[in-house]
């Protein structure tokens, strides 16, 4: 029996007249559970993640994303280090000019 069949039977059971005037809680819970499973499976099918290799694909994508984040963090750190070094070099050149090192070398 497929999930669709199970859901159809549960809905039919809930729709049938109950002598107590309502639907049993267990039937409602089963309907929600079956509908949730069916919906989740449809979403996975639409995303192309219903095959057995999907977990491996997701793990690989997570690894790639982690590597990308590490590379981006490293690039920002390197750029900041170069910026600080450039500013320090300009500061040293400014100090040298101010002290007249260029005139001493002439």
């Amino acid at each position: 029996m497929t999930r669709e069949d199970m859901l159809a039977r549960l809905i039919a059971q809930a729709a049938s007249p109950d002598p107590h005037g309502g639907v049993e809680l267990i039937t409602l819970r089963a309907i929600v559970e079956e509908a949730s499973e069916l919906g989740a499976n449809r979403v996975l099918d639409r995303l192309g993640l219903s095959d057995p290799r999907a977990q491996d694909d997701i793990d690989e994508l997570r690894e790639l994303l982690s590597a990308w984040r590490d590379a981006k963090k490293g690039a920002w750190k390197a750029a900041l280090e170069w910026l600080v070094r450039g500013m320090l070099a300009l500061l040293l050149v400014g100090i040298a000019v101010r002290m007249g090192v260029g005139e001493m070398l002439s």
Side-chain angles (χ1 to χ4, degrees):
M1 177 181 308
T2 65
R3 291 214 179 269
E4 290 89 355
D5 294 337
M6 177 65 77
L7 186 57
R9 283 186 179 187
L10 287 168
I11 290 173
Q13 180 181 343
S16 67
D18 185 8
H20 302 293
V23 178
E24 290 188 29
L25 184 59
I26 194 162
T27 303
L28 290 176
R29 285 184 178 173
I31 289 172
V32 169
E33 185 177 330
E34 290 298 323
S36 299
E37 285 287 328
L38 187 60
N41 288 335
R42 284 182 184 169
V43 168
L44 290 174
D45 284 340
R46 287 180 185 160
L47 292 174
L49 297 174
S50 60
D51 64 336
R53 293 185 44 219
Q55 185 62 48
D56 294 336
D57 294 342
I58 290 173
D59 291 341
E60 188 175 346
L61 285 172
R62 286 178 189 244
E63 287 177 23
L64 286 170
L65 184 58
S66 177
W68 167 254
R69 287 179 178 156
D70 290 343
K72 191 167 64 169
K73 182 193 272 185
W76 278 109
K77 185 178 177 184
L80 185 62
E81 287 176 1
W82 277 101
L83 180 66
V84 169
R85 287 179 185 159
M87 291 175 66
L88 288 175
L90 285 174
L91 181 65
L92 287 175
V93 168
I95 291 172
V97 168
R98 185 94 174 186
M99 293 179 68
V101 173
E103 295 171 4
M104 289 184 205
L105 296 174
S106 306

